[in-house]
Amino acid sequence: MEKKLLSIVVPCYNEEASIESFYRAVMAELMKMPEVDYEFVLVDDGSKDDTLLKMEELHRKDRRVKFVAFSRNFGKEAALLAGLEHAKGDYVVVMDVDLQDPPALLLEMYRGLESGKYDVVAARRISRAGEPPIRSFFARKFYKLINKMSKIEMVDGARDYRMMTRQVVEAVTQMREYNRYSKGLFSFVGFRTKWLEYENVQRAAGETHWSFWGLLVYAIEGICAFSTVPLVIAAVMGLVFCLMAFVMIVVIVAKTLMFGDPVGGWPSMICVILFVGGVQLLALGVIGQYLAKTYLETKGRPVYIVRKTSED
Ligand code: UDP
Ligand code: MG
């Protein structure tokens, strides 16, 4: 039987400290799978440190380590897409380079796909140990919220760490959208998915690229990309206020006819004006979000630009 080719796709941004140990840790696991061929597809997402040098070094030592270097930092989602597009494997696994995605799961993922019962084997952390508690709190709330707002199911604790068949990879890379929210894209394509659970692992070296603010913006992007519920909320709010205003008009006209028109209620009027003005701006902001996304999509700009690959 012909050997299966496993592609290991790894987005890297300023990770010079992690690449070597990542490579060694994964190789140790691959040794346990002599029946598979492998290739690494390392994506340098415009790192400012010596990440690319480390990649080139590895490529010289092991020809099965390939790399793709971007012309600048395009973000992890873009790096993921590039990795998936450059991967040639029958099976493709996506991993972070910081060893937060335990390589020990590779074998189980591979077996899951080989069994023919699954098209995707994905990892899900069941604890968030070592994370700031406030971040975990908001993360949980976010998953509750987005699952209510979107038809697509987002699994709490799911990471991008997953092994997929070629068919699934084709489905994911077919989606050429500019605003990429991978967790949503992966669940959008569907397929039979098996979840492996594990305890959270801390970063081996370097530090996370996510600030709290960055995560908040990412969360809003996720919601915009996979739900139009905010637009519905804006519309419903408008309707409710119209009804309220209508009732108030009727009440005031009736009162004036019955009791005359003593001047009063200016402070309460200003409050109402401010409140309604605020709601209007909010609704406009929500619409603006979607419009901005649409604007970016219609430009049809490439998701990433490659500066150098191991092929040239
Ligand atoms: N990453 C990337 N481009 C970026 C930011 C991050 O390719 O602009 C990579 C990073 O090198 C790592 C992975 O994405 O391999 C996850 O990043 P990080 O560990 O900072 O995220 P966390 O694990 O904290 O969610
Ligand atoms: Mg990490």
Side-chain angles (χ1 to χ4, degrees), residues 96 98 100 203:
D96 283 0
D98 55 13
Q100 277 191 300
R203 217 173 206 288

Side-chain angles (χ1 to χ4, degrees), residues 10-13 43-48 70-83 160 178 180 182 209-210 218 221 303-305:
V10 195
C12 307
Y13 179 53
V43 183
D44 172 30
D45 186 9
S47 301
K48 296 187 175 56
F70 285 177
S71 58
R72 65 169 171 85
N73 179 243
F74 280 89
K76 184 183 176 188
E77 305 291 341
L80 266 183
L81 176 68
D160 292 335
Y178 187 78
R180 302 187 73 79
S182 290
H209 302 92
W210 290 105
Y218 186 60
E221 270 173 16
V303 178
Y304 60 87
I305 295 168

